[in-house]
Amino acid sequence: MNLNATIIGQMIAFALFVAFCMKYVWPPIMAALDERKKKIADGLAAAERGRHEQELAEKRAQQVIHEAKEQANEIISQAQRRGNEIVDESKDNARVEGDRILTSAKAEIEQEANRAKDELRSQVGSVALAGAAKILSREIDDKAHTDLLEELVSRI
Amino acid sequence: MDSNHRDVCNRICSFGVVATAIDDWIYSDTADFVIWKFESGLKPKMASETITSSEYIRHHLQNLTFGQHHDGSWGLAHNAQEAADMGFWAINVDTMGMSIVLGLLMAWFFRRVAKKVEAGVPSGAQNFAEWIIDFINDSVRGSFSGQNNMVAPLAFTIFIWIFLMNLMDLLPIDLVPEAAKWTGTNMFGMDPHSVFFKVVPTTDPNATFGMAFGVFALVLYYSVKMKGLGGFIGELTLQPFGKWGMPFNIFLEGVGLIAKPISLALRLFGNMYAGEMIFILIAIMYGAGLILGSFGGLLQIGWAIFHILIITLQAFIFMTLTIVYLDMAHQEHH
């Protein structure tokens, strides 16, 4: 229970420990606490921002989907229109081509027929002539009757 | 403010009186008379011989003092009288040793945490340290309105250091003294009766006054720094009754000022001394047979549990009052 120099020793020890804590203990731990506080605040702010951005993105996505749908509809209707056009065009083309083929076929047929007629005509003349010559070989004047036959052939 | 000062003063006086009264009583004949009732059964063993209860108590209340003997040689005091005769220039080795060891423990633990501290997810020791530091920081912010980076670490050191010193009160009362006695007898060849060891530094007024005067020096320093020398003297002399009541003002404010360190020191000392005293008295019961001994065991458990509250509370009060005094030193009021 005596007050003695211990009191001075205690004051010195006290001062040293306070100085130590003030320099080497308190600041780093407080800095870490502050940093964590800041980190948490930043994290919360980021989360808030993220939520906001997500909302915006959702809204934008909705808009994009809406636009895409409209575009798709437009494209489909265009395609349908175009399809119809193509079908119509093909029909027209087909008709024209058909007509063309038909006319050319007709012309060919006519040509063939004419050729056959000519051939027939030329052959009928000679056959008839041959037959007539055989029948009338003796009594017919060759020259006079040829004129007659030619007149007949031209009439066919 | 002034009623507060008077109140504080009253409390100091009562603590001082109580502490002194306990001390006087221990060394008085009345104590021997009261303790005499136990004597038949209550004879704690010390070393191999039986000692009386009052000897046991006195032994527990004596610091291991190093100083200059009457004959001029330096050494440890062999009894209370020798310790008292050494005068002011003597050192209580046990108080200094325990407080420095505990202070180093505190410094080591928190420095270790501070080195590895990270702002991410804290774990283990860091979590624990942060819990304490957060708590102290909140206390400082709640009571201290000025701007001073010193107050929070100061409050932290005070709280942890005093708590650790008080915590020694919960060690079994004979554990460390017996260990010290064994060491002293076997390694230094000392007389077992003269190896004193008080484990709880805060039951030594030197420790509590040392810290309180340290705080007081800061209070004075910051009072002068913040208010200027004139402002501080003006605060002491011109309040509360104006310049015509100056003598009375000086007396009132002077008492209020002196009361700060003394109340700090004596409150802590008185509480811890009384708590230690009760542990000693309970320990005496262990020598008094099975029934009284078992009852003493129960009492000791109960008192120890209650004492957990006291040691924490006293550390907290010392810290809070330090913050408040420094806050007052920082405040200017005209």
Side-chain angles (χ1 to χ4, degrees):
Chain A
M1 278 293 285
N2 310 308
L3 280 177
N4 55 26
T6 311
I7 200 168
I8 297 171
Q10 285 289 325
M11 278 173 82
I12 295 168
F14 180 57
L16 290 179
F17 285 131
V18 170
F20 181 84
C21 286
M22 206 175 135
K23 212 167 168 140
Y24 297 111
V25 172
W26 192 263
I29 295 180
M30 268 334 270
L33 285 180
D34 285 346
E35 198 186 328
R36 183 175 319 133
K37 223 174 266 175
K38 199 169 151 307
K39 259 189 187 173
I40 291 172
D42 286 355
L44 287 178
E48 185 61 32
R49 213 164 43 236
R51 225 160 43 107
H52 189 65
E53 266 167 22
Q54 195 207 359
E55 256 169 37
L56 281 182
E58 246 166 43
K59 222 176 269 177
R60 243 183 70 75
Q62 290 286 350
Q63 205 181 331
V64 167
I65 289 172
H66 188 70
E67 272 173 19
K69 269 185 185 161
E70 269 181 3
Q71 264 182 353
N73 282 339
E74 203 176 311
I75 289 170
I76 288 171
S77 60
Q78 256 180 7
Q80 271 173 347
R81 212 161 46 233
R82 180 85 188 110
N84 288 341
E85 270 172 22
I86 289 171
V87 168
D88 286 351
E89 222 168 83
S90 327
K91 273 182 188 166
D92 286 353
N93 283 351
R95 201 178 302 125
V96 170
E97 182 72 10
D99 284 354
R100 199 178 55 79
I101 291 172
L102 204 60
T103 27
S104 76
K106 272 182 184 165
E108 209 172 319
I109 289 167
E110 207 167 312
Q111 221 174 353
E112 281 296 310
N114 283 345
R115 210 161 41 86
K117 268 182 200 167
D118 281 352
E119 207 168 313
L120 203 62
R121 204 179 284 150
S122 66
Q123 281 182 5
V124 163
S126 62
V127 167
L129 198 66
K134 269 210 176 132
I135 296 163
L136 305 170
S137 56
R138 274 159 290 180
E139 52 193 278
I140 292 173
D141 177 25
D142 215 7
K143 194 173 160 21
H145 288 122
T146 303
D147 293 340
L148 200 74
L149 280 171
E150 283 208 348
E151 192 201 332
L152 186 72
V153 167
S154 71
R155 224 186 273 163
I156 290 171
Chain B
M1 182 74 67
D2 297 299
S3 67
N4 194 19
H5 280 177
R6 270 192 296 279
D7 188 32
V8 167
C9 177
N10 283 337
R11 266 183 284 159
I12 306 155
C13 295
S14 63
F15 272 116
V17 166
V18 167
T20 320
I22 292 176
D23 206 43
D24 289 345
W25 181 73
I26 294 302
Y27 291 97
S28 68
D29 295 335
T30 335
D32 286 340
F33 176 71
V34 173
I35 289 163
W36 163 81
K37 290 184 183 170
F38 293 95
E39 290 291 279
S40 51
L42 302 180
K43 293 201 190 303
K45 301 274 184 214
M46 285 198 74
S48 56
E49 54 195 298
T50 309
I51 60 155
T52 63
S53 297
S54 63
E55 272 170 359
Y56 179 74
I57 294 173
R58 277 179 206 156
H59 192 86
H60 266 290
L61 294 180
Q62 178 57 42
N63 282 105
L64 183 63
T65 311
F66 180 87
Q68 193 172 25
H69 290 296
H70 262 312
D71 55 10
S73 64
W74 289 80
L76 293 166
H78 294 97
N79 52 49
Q81 190 54 48
E82 268 187 45
D85 289 343
M86 282 171 177
F88 183 76
W89 292 108
I91 283 276
N92 291 342
V93 180
D94 46 1
T95 303
M96 285 307 293
M98 284 307 287
S99 60
I100 287 174
V101 164
L102 292 170
L104 289 177
L105 187 72
M106 164 183 79
W108 167 77
F109 176 77
F110 285 99
R111 180 61 191 154
R112 204 175 59 112
V113 170
K115 261 187 192 165
K116 294 193 296 190
V117 76
E118 54 179 353
V121 181
S123 59
Q126 190 188 335
N127 217 344
F128 175 68
E130 279 183 8
W131 171 56
I132 295 172
I133 282 181
D134 222 30
F135 160 71
I136 290 169
N137 201 34
D138 283 349
S139 295
V140 172
R141 283 194 187 170
S143 318
F144 188 76
S145 52
Q147 276 289 322
N148 193 333
N149 288 336
M150 195 209 169
V151 176
L154 175 74
F156 168 78
T157 314
I158 286 175
F159 181 72
I160 303 294
W161 200 29
I162 292 181
F163 176 78
L164 285 176
M165 291 195 281
N166 290 353
L167 190 65
M168 295 301 106
D169 219 358
L170 295 181
L171 290 177
I173 193 150
D174 276 321
L175 183 69
V176 181
E178 286 295 313
K181 190 161 75 183
W182 187 89
T183 315
T185 329
N186 292 313
M187 299 177 97
F188 298 104
M190 292 164 72
D191 173 18
H193 283 297
S194 64
V195 185
F196 304 102
F197 204 94
K198 273 177 90 176
V199 199
V200 193
T202 40
T203 55
D204 181 354
N206 288 303
T208 62
F209 272 105
M211 283 183 291
F213 284 148
V215 170
F216 187 56
L218 286 173
V219 167
L220 289 182
Y221 172 73
Y222 282 113
S223 291
V224 172
K225 192 183 172 193
M226 302 308 287
K227 299 162 191 167
L229 191 59
F232 183 48
I233 291 174
E235 205 173 68
L236 288 180
T237 52
L238 300 177
Q239 286 176 358
F241 294 119
K243 57 183 171 181
W244 300 114
M246 199 178 278
F248 191 67
N249 292 343
I250 292 175
F251 173 71
L252 210 58
E253 291 289 321
V255 167
L257 191 68
I258 301 298
K260 287 174 184 174
I262 294 181
S263 69
L264 266 184
L266 283 184
R267 178 181 302 105
L268 180 59
F269 163 68
N271 273 284
M272 297 322 294
Y273 189 83
E276 178 83 346
M277 216 34 237
I278 290 173
F279 275 122
I280 295 172
L281 292 175
I282 290 172
I284 288 177
M285 296 174 83
Y286 291 140
L290 192 63
I291 296 171
L292 214 52
S294 316
F295 180 63
L298 279 178
L299 273 182
Q300 177 163 6
I301 292 171
W303 182 241
I305 291 172
F306 181 60
H307 215 57
I308 295 173
L309 178 71
I310 295 180
I311 61 177
T312 319
L313 194 65
Q314 286 308 317
F316 180 71
I317 288 173
F318 202 109
M319 177 189 85
T320 309
L321 285 178
T322 302
I323 299 170
V324 170
Y325 290 158
L326 280 172
D327 184 48
M328 281 159 69
H330 279 71
Q331 261 164 13
E332 290 193 56
H333 44 90
H334 297 288

